[in-house]
Amino acid sequence: MRKISITFILFLSLCGGLSAQEVNENHLHKSEIEQLFLTHNLRLMAQRFQIKQADAAILQAKLWPNPTIAISEVNLWKNPSSESFPALIGKYGKYQQVAMELEQTIEIAGKRKKRIQFQQLEKENAQLQFEELLRNLKYDLRSQVLELQLLQEKECLYSSQVDVFEKLSQSYLNQWKAGNVSEMDYLRIRSEARAFNNRLNEIQQQKIAKKNEVARYLGTAGRELYVVDSIGTPAFIQPRPKEWKMMALENRSDYKIIHNEFKKGKAQLEIEKAGRIPDLQVSINYDRGGNIMRDFVGLGVAVDLPLFNRNQGNIRIASLELEKNKVEMEQFRLDIVREVDFLTSRLVHLESSLKSGDTEFDHKLDVALERYVRNFQQRRLTLVEFIDFINNYMENKEAILERKTKYLQYKEELIYLIGKDIA
C-alpha cells in the first residue's frame, strides 16, 4: 500500500500547486480587467458619439433661418406695348422687366432660445445614457468575472480529486492484479475517478464559455483570461438601508434620466406654447418696370392670423406628457426604495448564514479530510466509508463556495442598485 500513501501525501498540496501554476500562466486581476473594459469596450465608444451628436444638435438649434430670395416677372421678349428703359448691361435690358424679393423669417416669443435649451437637455440625456450604459455593462462584467472566479475555484477543487482518484485507481489496479484487493474495490475507485473527471470536464467547458463572455466586454483587448483574485471570505457590509436609498436617488443614472425627461417635458411645453404666437416674415422688394415707378423698392411684413390654429393640440399633448413623467418619477422612486429594502434583507440573511457556520465548518471539513486520509492510510476506514466522506466533503465545499460567491454577487447588485461603489 506504499503507493497509496504517496498519493495522499500529494492530496493536500495538489490544489495549491495548481493555483500557483495558473497564476504564473494567467494575466489579470479584476481591477485590470475592468480597466481594459473602460478603455476598449466598443459599445462605450459608440455611445460617446451620441454625446458629440448632441453637441452638433445644439449648434444647429442656434442657427437662424436662412433668408429667401426670389426673382420673378422676367420677360423673355418685348411686345408692342413695351416701354424703353435704361440699359442694364451695355445695350442689354432696355425692354427688360424684373422683380426681386428678399424675405427673412423672424421668430417671436423666444422660440430659438427655447429650442437651444431643449437641445441642451438632450445633450444631458445623452451623457446620462452613457453613464447608464456604463453602469449596466460594469455590473454585467463584474457578474461574469465573479462567475468565472467560481468556476476556476471549482476546477481547482475537482482537479485535485481527479488526480488523486486517478493515482488511487492505478494503485488499486496493481493491488488487484497482485491479489491484495478485490475487483469490486478497484471498480468502485475507477468509477469515482470517472465521475470526478466528468464533472471536471463540465466545469472546464463552462469556464471556456465564461471566458468568452468576459472577453466580449473588452473589445479588441479580449483574449484568453484568468482571474488572479480568489473568492475567499467576503468582507461583510454594515447594513445602511437609509443611506443606501439616499445614495441611489442621488447617483442612479436611470433615475436622473427620468428627472431629465421631466425637464425636457417642461421645455417642450414651453416650445409648444410659444408656437401659439406666429412668426414674422419681413421682406424687401425691388420691381423694375412693373408699376408706376420705373425702379420700385418696397418693404413688406407678413404674419399668420392665429384665428383657428393656436397650437392647442400640441400644447395639450405636451401637458399630458409632463403629467405622465411625474407619475413615472414617483413610481421609479418607490421601486428604488423597495429594491434597497429587499436587497438589504438578502445581504443580512446570507451574512448571518456565513458567519454562523460556514467559515468554521469550512475549516472543520479540511481538518476532517486530513483525519479521514490518515485513517484510510492506516486501514481504519473502509473504501466505501472513505469515498462517502469525499463525496460529502466535495458537496459541502462546493456549497460553501457558492454561498460566498452569492454574497459577493449581492454586493455587486447593491453597487449597481445605488449607482456607486461602496467600501
Side-chain angles (χ1 to χ4, degrees):
M1 297 293 288
R2 187 170 182 274
K3 291 184 179 179
I4 299 178
S5 299
I6 294 173
T7 297
F8 286 107
I9 292 173
L10 294 173
F11 183 92
L12 299 177
S13 62
L14 183 59
C15 192
L18 178 64
S19 298
Q21 180 183 2
E22 292 286 1
V23 170
N24 292 332
E25 291 176 355
N26 292 315
H27 318 292
L28 301 173
H29 291 274
K30 291 170 72 174
S31 58
E32 294 172 322
I33 293 174
E34 195 158 307
Q35 188 59 41
L36 278 177
F37 156 72
L38 292 174
T39 54
H40 291 85
N41 186 268
L42 297 178
R43 289 185 64 185
L44 290 179
M45 293 180 186
Q47 189 71 24
R48 289 188 179 99
F49 284 105
Q50 291 195 4
I51 300 176
K52 296 180 180 179
Q53 288 175 325
D55 283 326
I58 293 174
L59 173 62
Q60 184 63 36
K62 290 179 179 179
L63 301 178
W64 288 87
N66 288 326
T68 302
I69 186 169
I71 301 175
S72 61
E73 300 183 14
V74 179
N75 61 305
L76 300 180
W77 57 83
K78 67 175 182 175
N79 58 38
S81 63
S82 296
E83 298 180 15
S84 176
F85 303 104
L88 291 173
I89 302 173
K91 296 182 179 180
Y92 173 76
K94 290 182 180 182
Y95 303 98
Q96 197 71 46
Q97 179 178 332
V98 63
M100 290 186 291
E101 182 180 53
L102 183 65
E103 186 178 72
Q104 175 67 52
T105 299
I106 299 178
E107 294 182 304
I108 306 298
K111 294 185 181 72
R112 175 174 166 273
K113 181 180 179 181
K114 289 178 171 63
R115 283 201 307 272
I116 293 171
Q117 291 173 343
F118 183 84
Q119 290 302 327
Q120 287 170 339
L121 291 172
E122 286 281 19
K123 179 183 177 181
E124 184 177 347
N125 201 64
Q127 291 171 330
L128 291 172
Q129 291 286 357
F130 176 81
E131 293 176 13
E132 178 64 7
L133 176 63
L134 177 60
R135 185 176 77 100
N136 281 280
L137 289 180
K138 187 182 289 187
Y139 170 71
D140 292 342
L141 174 63
R142 288 179 175 182
S143 298
Q144 298 288 353
V145 169
L146 190 56
E147 291 177 16
L148 179 57
Q149 286 180 275
L150 176 62
L151 290 170
Q152 287 175 178
E153 299 211 13
K154 283 185 178 181
E155 181 186 31
C156 174
L157 189 63
Y158 276 90
S159 292
S160 64
Q161 299 303 324
V162 167
D163 191 77
V164 165
F165 275 90
E166 286 293 341
K167 289 181 172 63
L168 190 58
S169 176
Q170 184 60 46
S171 176
Y172 264 71
L173 176 61
N174 296 334
Q175 295 290 330
W176 170 53
K177 290 180 178 179
N180 296 326
V181 297
S182 67
E183 183 180 13
M184 292 299 296
D185 285 346
Y186 162 68
L187 292 176
R188 180 66 189 273
I189 286 290
R190 188 60 190 162
S191 66
E192 288 297 321
R194 293 288 296 274
F196 278 117
N197 193 57
N198 290 338
R199 177 60 178 146
L200 177 61
N201 287 334
E202 291 176 6
I203 293 171
Q204 288 172 337
Q205 289 296 320
Q206 293 172 7
K207 190 181 79 168
I208 292 171
K210 191 58 62 179
K211 283 183 177 182
N212 181 58
E213 288 294 319
V214 174
R216 289 177 58 246
Y217 292 87
L218 306 182
T220 55
R223 54 192 171 91
E224 184 76 9
L225 296 173
Y226 182 92
V227 186
V228 178
D229 311 78
S230 62
I231 291 177
T233 301
F236 298 116
I237 308 171
Q238 182 67 31
R240 305 187 301 274
K242 185 176 180 180
E243 179 184 343
W244 290 343
K245 291 171 188 176
M246 293 178 60
M247 291 173 66
L249 296 175
E250 291 173 0
N251 295 291
R252 282 274 292 268
S253 50
D254 52 353
Y255 189 58
K256 291 180 181 179
I257 289 172
I258 293 292
H259 274 267
N260 195 61
E261 288 294 333
F262 179 73
K263 293 178 184 177
K264 283 173 57 182
K266 292 176 68 175
Q268 185 62 42
L269 180 59
E270 291 300 314
I271 290 174
E272 299 301 342
K273 286 181 177 179
R276 295 179 299 186
I277 303 175
D279 298 329
L280 288 178
Q281 303 289 336
V282 179
S283 61
I284 182 170
N285 311 84
Y286 168 74
D287 194 338
R288 184 176 190 264
N291 210 317
I292 57 174
M293 295 183 185
R294 179 174 294 179
D295 294 294
F296 172 80
V297 177
L299 298 175
V301 176
V303 62
D304 290 340
L305 295 178
L307 298 178
F308 308 110
N309 181 0
R310 303 190 73 243
N311 212 32
Q312 301 96 317
N314 289 333
I315 292 173
R316 180 61 176 161
I317 291 171
S319 298
L320 292 173
E321 183 68 20
L322 204 57
E323 293 300 319
K324 185 188 78 172
N325 289 340
K326 289 180 182 178
V327 174
E328 289 176 344
M329 284 170 55
E330 179 60 18
Q331 181 61 55
F332 215 98
R333 187 190 68 80
L334 293 174
D335 288 344
I336 288 176
V337 170
R338 176 181 50 79
E339 288 169 0
V340 169
D341 287 335
F342 174 68
L343 189 55
T344 301
S345 298
R346 299 185 78 173
L347 280 166
V348 170
H349 180 268
L350 190 52
E351 177 183 344
S352 176
S353 173
L354 288 169
K355 282 183 175 179
S356 63
D358 279 357
T359 302
E360 182 180 355
F361 183 61
D362 194 13
H363 174 69
K364 288 183 177 180
L365 277 176
D366 292 332
V367 172
L369 176 63
E370 296 179 20
R371 187 181 300 118
Y372 267 79
V373 169
R374 185 166 56 253
N375 288 336
F376 183 63
Q377 289 175 306
Q378 296 171 359
R379 300 186 182 183
R380 295 176 182 173
L381 292 175
T382 65
L383 179 61
V384 172
E385 290 173 325
F386 177 71
I387 290 176
D388 285 346
F389 172 77
I390 291 296
N391 286 326
N392 185 265
Y393 170 84
M394 292 294 291
E395 181 180 342
N396 281 280
K397 291 288 284 188
E398 195 169 353
I400 292 171
L401 188 58
E402 288 176 351
R403 276 195 292 273
K404 291 178 179 179
T405 305
K406 180 59 70 175
Y407 186 87
L408 293 175
Q409 182 62 47
Y410 287 161
K411 184 177 178 180
E412 291 300 334
E413 287 183 22
L414 178 63
I415 292 172
Y416 174 75
L417 182 59
I418 65 178
K420 184 179 180 181
D421 286 339
I422 55 175

